[in-house]
Amino acid sequence: MEKAAARVEIGTLLLNLCHSVSPLPIEKTISESEAGKHAHLLDLLYNLIVPSSEQENVHLYHRDDRKDDGGQNSSRTSMPFRKIREILEGAFGRIRMLLENIIKCLKNVPILQPIGMVLEQILKAFHLVSSTTAAVDHETDGAVPVTIPSVSELHNIAGIHFRPLEHGGIRGIRFDQKKKCFFLPQIKLDENTEVMLRNLVAYEALTKRNYLIFTRYTELMRAIIDTVEDVEILIDSKIIHNELKDKKQAEELFNGMSKSIGPTNTPDLENEIKKVNEFFDNTEKVRAYRIISKYVYSSWKLCTLLATLVLLALMVLQTFCSVYDCPKILKTGTGTGTT
């Protein structure tokens, strides 16, 4: 009885603490005795903010299925490509070494130096191909960053409004195309928020590796908040409750959050982000801007060339007129024409 009473008392203290320090709404109601069973405070707080659901179990189930299969399907498709890539990388490496040796030899022969310069350009091309391949491999193997316009762009350009979620928390994030509303959970910003967010992200990375919904939420907030104006719009929309000294601190808080280093496996949230991007891309202002970017900005080199030619022509004309008397020539030509 004493242990049960102690557990209830500890659970009450833990729940009260979680309610006071939680930056996001508590989505799960549990008893005091159940709260006392959690391993530590972060474990309790995370499960109150992001309670486990069938969706998470589905992700775990599919992940286990791939493990049970031994990864045969993925390995069968990826192994031939890996071998081909290794062969190509080896061939590129040998060609680079050969070119480097030839260039060193040609530099000692003045007559053949032009050939060496051409080979140096080819060598640079090989280095570019290698660096591009490495960058693509890194992007493919790592996490995909959240790509979405900022709050001010979504609001001012696409007319999207932001509304606080009444229930559902992070899992309930959604975009209503008809109402042009992006629903986000409310978040409280105070002196403890940054520490709590970072600790919850770290806890999720260690314990929920197959479904990093909290991590993806912080990445979404980091992506849509770029300036103080973005923070102001979310404050006016009652999504952000700012208790910090100024709004600049709120903007710096989100921009200071680190990105995930691996895939988060959050298809539902990715789908909502995709819907926002598609809606934004189809607005008239954005389409007009992209047309201008495509047909005007892309031809800036041609415009620069034409401007340079016109300037050269004017300089030639000025030089010519400084040597010869252009007004006299023009008068003579006019007089000849009238006679």
Side-chain angles (χ1 to χ4, degrees):
M1 292 293 292
E2 292 181 359
K3 289 184 178 180
R7 180 174 292 177
V8 170
E9 186 175 354
I10 293 173
T12 303
L13 294 174
L14 290 175
L15 286 174
N16 291 335
L17 181 60
C18 287
H19 279 84
S20 63
V21 301
S22 177
L24 292 159
I26 301 296
E27 295 296 327
K28 184 178 181 181
T29 303
I30 61 174
S31 63
E32 289 78 4
S33 59
E34 186 180 352
K37 295 178 182 178
H38 285 268
H40 51 79
L41 181 62
L42 275 178
D43 180 56
L44 173 60
L45 181 59
Y46 183 89
N47 283 279
L48 292 174
I49 296 175
V50 192
S52 59
S53 66
E54 294 181 1
Q55 183 184 21
E56 183 176 347
N57 295 331
V58 167
H59 287 290
L60 292 170
Y61 176 74
H62 286 309
R63 182 66 174 265
D64 293 339
D65 283 348
R66 287 196 295 271
K67 287 182 179 179
D68 292 339
D69 258 344
Q72 291 180 3
N73 292 332
S74 59
S75 61
R76 285 174 185 173
T77 55
S78 61
M79 284 183 64
F81 291 105
R82 288 180 182 175
K83 289 181 179 179
I84 293 171
R85 186 178 65 182
E86 290 174 359
I87 293 171
L88 290 175
E89 287 177 352
F92 279 140
R94 288 190 290 272
I95 293 172
R96 282 199 302 270
M97 290 179 62
L98 179 62
L99 287 174
E100 289 173 356
N101 293 329
I102 293 174
I103 290 169
K104 288 179 182 178
C105 296
L106 293 178
K107 283 184 177 179
N108 298 324
V109 183
I111 302 175
L112 300 177
Q113 284 183 357
I115 300 175
M117 294 174 64
V118 174
L119 293 179
E120 282 183 350
Q121 297 300 320
I122 296 174
L123 184 62
K124 287 181 180 179
F126 274 105
H127 283 300
L128 180 62
V129 170
S130 299
S131 60
T132 304
T133 304
V136 170
D137 290 341
H138 177 72
E139 185 177 352
T140 304
D141 294 337
V144 179
V146 175
T147 304
I148 188 172
S150 65
V151 171
S152 55
E153 290 173 333
L154 293 172
H155 181 70
N156 298 331
I157 298 176
I160 293 176
H161 302 282
F162 294 84
R163 295 288 182 268
L165 279 167
E166 295 181 0
H167 55 81
I170 297 172
R171 298 183 193 274
I173 293 174
R174 70 182 189 279
F175 175 63
D176 192 323
Q177 298 183 22
K178 293 181 179 179
K179 296 180 180 179
K180 295 198 294 186
C181 286
F182 196 9
F183 292 91
L184 296 170
Q186 294 177 319
I187 181 169
K188 179 182 67 176
L189 303 184
D190 57 24
E191 55 190 14
N192 298 316
T193 301
E194 184 174 2
V195 175
M196 298 308 302
L197 290 177
R198 291 183 182 275
N199 277 280
L200 288 167
V201 168
Y203 171 80
E204 185 180 61
L206 291 172
T207 60
K208 312 284 184 180
R209 299 180 184 179
N210 298 319
Y211 188 60
L212 306 181
I213 185 66
F214 191 88
T215 302
R216 203 55 169 174
Y217 161 74
T218 59
E219 291 177 352
L220 172 62
M221 296 299 289
R222 185 181 190 273
I224 63 175
I225 295 178
D226 291 334
T227 63
V228 173
E229 183 184 358
D230 300 326
V231 175
E232 290 175 346
I233 293 173
L234 293 181
I235 290 175
D236 294 338
S237 303
K238 302 187 183 304
I239 290 174
I240 288 180
H241 296 276
N242 188 29
E243 297 179 7
L244 298 171
K245 293 181 180 179
D246 54 30
K247 298 169 185 176
K248 182 65 178 175
Q249 281 186 292
E251 177 257 324
E252 292 173 349
L253 185 152
F254 287 105
N255 286 325
M257 295 296 295
S258 59
K259 299 179 181 178
S260 61
I261 59 175
T264 54
N265 298 324
T266 52
D268 291 341
L269 182 54
E270 307 303 329
N271 184 51
E272 299 303 317
I273 295 172
K274 182 181 177 182
K275 288 196 296 185
V276 173
N277 285 329
E278 289 176 350
F279 184 88
F280 181 81
D281 292 339
N282 288 326
T283 57
E284 294 181 1
K285 291 182 180 179
V286 174
R287 283 185 294 182
Y289 172 78
R290 290 187 174 173
I291 290 172
I292 293 173
S293 301
K294 182 178 180 181
Y295 294 102
V296 178
Y297 296 156
S298 61
S299 60
W300 68 270
K301 291 184 179 180
L302 178 61
C303 295
T304 305
L305 177 61
L306 291 175
T308 305
L309 292 175
V310 171
L311 181 61
L312 287 173
L314 292 174
M315 291 175 65
V316 170
L317 181 61
Q318 183 182 13
T319 305
F320 178 81
C321 290
S322 65
V323 177
Y324 300 97
D325 193 356
C326 290
K328 194 178 205 177
I329 295 174
L330 290 173
K331 284 180 182 179
T332 305
T334 308
T336 307
T338 53
T339 351

